[in-house]
Amino acid sequence: VLVQLLYAATDGEGLGDLLIMGNPEEGELVHGVSLEVFEVGLQARRVARQFVRKEEKRPSEEDCSKVKAICAMAFRTMRDAYLLDCREEAIFDRRCVRLRDLLDECQTPCETSFTRCKGQATEGTWWQMMGLRR
């Protein structure tokens, strides 16, 4: 009953996806981290790495917002799964260790893509006029 309430409260998204696999009416409870969480993390890592490898001098705003959204969603999904499914007794479970590693593997390319999307200083900025930036 609790699983069905969580599923209804989240409209089939978010926390409900982490707890229910298969048919939501059956209320099948997943033990450990579900494979969908890993799919989201692997997709975010792949998209962020491809974005970083692009040779564009200045990436488009559309590409930047896409990468930021994918990385943010993947981080929240993996963090929630880790906090919910990897409690004290299962902290050294194989899936929990792999999820922790995937979180770390996603962080570097996502942060690199975020710095690439930051606006570069233009020639007439206030800092340059004050002589504080070269």
Side-chain angles (χ1 to χ4, degrees):
V1 175
L2 175 63
V3 173
Q4 290 174 344
L5 289 174
L6 286 172
Y7 189 79
T10 59
D11 295 327
E13 298 177 2
L15 183 62
D17 287 341
L18 298 176
L19 295 175
I20 298 174
M21 283 183 68
N23 191 352
E25 285 78 29
E26 295 174 8
E28 183 180 337
L29 191 63
V30 174
H31 178 70
V33 182
S34 68
L35 294 177
E36 288 84 9
V37 173
F38 289 105
E39 289 175 10
V40 170
L42 291 171
Q43 178 192 14
R45 185 183 70 180
R46 182 176 60 249
V47 168
R49 283 181 176 174
Q50 288 173 351
F51 182 80
V52 169
R53 287 183 186 139
K54 284 184 181 178
E55 295 295 326
E56 296 175 9
K57 200 162 191 120
R58 177 85 171 126
S60 68
E61 291 296 323
E62 181 181 325
D63 289 342
C64 287
S65 63
K66 177 184 171 187
V67 170
K68 286 179 184 179
I70 290 173
C71 284
M73 181 197 59
F75 172 74
R76 278 191 229 102
T77 302
M78 290 188 294
R79 178 200 61 198
D80 292 346
Y82 189 80
L83 292 175
L84 289 174
D85 299 328
C86 298
R87 300 287 176 155
E88 296 88 18
E89 69 272 358
I91 197 92
F92 296 110
D93 181 34
R94 182 177 178 190
R95 284 188 172 192
C96 290
V97 171
R98 180 62 190 122
L99 181 60
R100 190 179 60 221
D101 293 343
L102 185 58
L103 267 164
D104 187 49
E105 291 171 9
C106 285
Q107 182 177 358
T108 304
C110 284
E111 285 181 352
T112 305
S113 66
F114 295 161
T115 57
R116 233 183 126 202
C117 287
K118 283 185 180 178
Q120 298 295 324
T122 57
E123 284 299 317
T125 63
W126 185 80
W127 294 105
Q128 287 174 340
M129 289 187 281
M130 295 299 293
L132 299 174
R133 185 173 176 168
R134 295 179 182 194

